[in-house]
Amino acid sequence: MRETLLTGFQQRAGWGDAERSLLAGDASFRKYWRLRRADGATMVIMDAPPPQEDVRPFVRVANHLEALGFSVPHVVLVDEDNGFLLLEDLGDGTYTRLLQQGNDEWSLYALATDVLAELSQQPVPADVPAYDDQRLLTETGLLPDWFLTSVGAAVSAEARAEWDRVWLGLLPVARGVPSALVLRDYHVDNLLLLPGRAGLAACGLLDFQDAVVGPLTYDLMSLLEDARRDIDPALVAAMTARFLVARPDLHAETFAASWAVMAAQRHAKVIGIFARLYKRDGKPGYLPHIPRVWRLLEKACQHPACAPVQAWLQAYVPPAVRRRSPQ
């Protein structure tokens, strides 16, 4: 059924004569297909099946970012009902591939940091949801609800409620910095280098359909505390300083506290998501990253602002539990 709908969309888009090949899948239900004509012209189809996925947020955020001059896949054709988009093909030059090929890490990260510094000063669209307390609590809850249960260390209802109270007390610290459009998955898999474009437009942006309005520390932290790869601490320090130079209105200590809370929040979420991807969705490929994310969470908890998270983890998730793999 889905194959028939996909073929029909390809034909309506005027690309019925193109060869279609699977370009990528991700942790969601989305798939991406590349269309290639005999003359070498290419396009991409986003296949986002309802009701699990909704293409409208991607279209809204893409149009907003494109209007601001950032490089995103231009949306050519939309089929909201069936969950298909025809998109400009920005190529294969993801940061992940370029780094694997030995491209200069510092220059790539500098460009990505500069994009965030500029984006953080731009207006946000009115129809993007807020990164509110409920959304953030739902995400942090993934650690006890999915990781701990999957490793045989479920906590009591009282401890679980205490976890939420800890975070409700910390979230105002995260919001000590201005709000901005937060793309939420800003890391090397979702960034491309576009050599034919100048300035900030040389950085292509992908996977932003879950964008929210929240603390401007989030995306830079996501970039520099990557769940999938280790990053030189010197690079992290340099890029953080670079961002603060571009935003002299920010107070460094307030920024650092917000960063720490958002880092702890994201890493707790990601640990839970990786466990859920395995237990619920049968995707074990993310399990090898969990030890790295635990190290990042423990590092974030060293900041004084995160002392309540540190205390809860020490009480209920001893190091031996953290090292267990979901079963």
Side-chain angles (χ1 to χ4, degrees):
M1 177 64 177
R2 192 69 187 165
E3 173 67 23
T4 301
L5 292 173
L6 176 60
T7 300
F9 177 75
Q10 179 177 339
Q11 292 173 343
R12 291 195 306 277
W15 284 73
D17 60 340
E19 177 185 350
R20 183 175 74 233
S21 59
L22 184 63
L23 180 59
D26 59 23
S28 71
F29 292 92
R30 292 184 299 273
K31 293 180 180 178
Y32 297 86
W33 302 88
R34 174 168 282 149
L35 305 179
R36 186 181 300 276
R37 285 179 170 153
D39 63 1
T42 63
M43 295 291 279
V44 169
I45 290 178
M46 178 194 286
D47 176 358
Q52 294 90 352
E53 301 290 338
D54 181 358
V55 299
R56 291 172 296 179
F58 182 95
V59 174
R60 287 196 298 268
V61 178
N63 290 340
H64 173 76
L65 292 171
E66 189 172 19
L68 293 175
F70 297 101
S71 289
V72 298
H74 178 68
V75 180
V76 179
L77 185 65
V78 179
D79 180 346
E80 290 182 5
D81 293 339
N82 293 309
F84 295 114
L85 299 177
L86 184 69
L87 303 172
E88 174 189 11
D89 186 357
L90 294 182
D92 294 319
T94 65
Y95 273 32
T96 300
R97 289 191 179 95
L98 295 175
L99 291 166
Q100 290 170 347
Q101 294 166 6
N103 280 255
D104 183 63
E105 185 179 37
W106 284 64
S107 63
L108 290 172
Y109 275 91
L111 176 59
T113 298
D114 292 348
V115 167
L116 287 180
E118 178 63 25
L119 180 60
S120 73
Q121 301 177 74
Q122 296 297 326
V124 297
D127 51 0
V128 172
Y131 217 176
D132 58 21
D133 287 357
Q134 187 54 58
R135 189 180 292 258
L136 289 161
L137 286 179
T138 297
E139 293 177 352
T140 54
L142 295 171
L143 187 148
D145 295 347
W146 283 94
F147 177 80
L148 293 186
T149 56
S150 72
V151 298
V155 295
S156 67
E158 292 79 10
R160 178 65 178 79
E162 182 185 344
W163 178 248
D164 282 352
R165 287 194 296 271
V166 163
W167 285 104
L168 282 173
L170 289 184
L171 295 179
V173 177
R175 297 194 176 100
V177 297
S179 292
L181 183 66
V182 175
L183 303 186
R184 289 182 74 199
D185 279 314
Y186 197 86
H187 53 76
V188 293
D189 289 351
N190 294 327
L191 301 173
L192 303 102
L193 185 64
L194 307 175
R197 304 189 189 187
L200 299 182
C203 184
L205 308 177
L206 303 174
D207 200 13
F208 42 74
Q209 61 279 332
D210 295 325
V212 291
V213 178
L216 56 75
T217 45
Y218 189 92
D219 278 345
L220 186 64
M221 174 276 301
S222 174
L223 174 69
L224 297 174
E225 297 197 15
D226 196 323
R228 297 168 180 82
R229 69 185 306 265
D230 297 321
I231 301 175
D232 183 352
L235 186 150
V236 175
M239 296 305 139
T240 304
R242 185 183 184 95
F243 186 93
L244 289 171
V245 167
R247 291 297 309 264
D249 56 308
L250 300 176
H251 186 272
E253 292 182 5
T254 303
F255 183 89
S258 173
W259 176 301
V261 174
M262 285 284 84
Q265 190 275 342
R266 177 174 173 83
H267 300 324
K269 171 184 72 171
V270 170
I271 290 168
I273 287 176
F274 287 175
R276 185 177 67 184
L277 284 167
Y278 172 60
K279 292 290 291 182
R280 187 191 70 183
D281 303 331
K283 296 180 178 181
Y286 296 90
L287 294 181
H289 299 304
I290 289 180
R292 176 185 297 107
V293 187
W294 267 115
R295 291 194 297 271
L296 291 169
L297 175 54
E298 290 163 356
K299 174 177 172 291
C301 286
Q302 293 172 11
H303 191 283
C306 294
V309 179
Q310 174 83 308
W312 192 94
L313 291 174
Q314 288 177 336
Y316 300 109
V317 194
V321 172
R322 302 174 199 182
R323 290 193 292 269
R324 293 179 191 170
S325 183
Q327 300 297 319

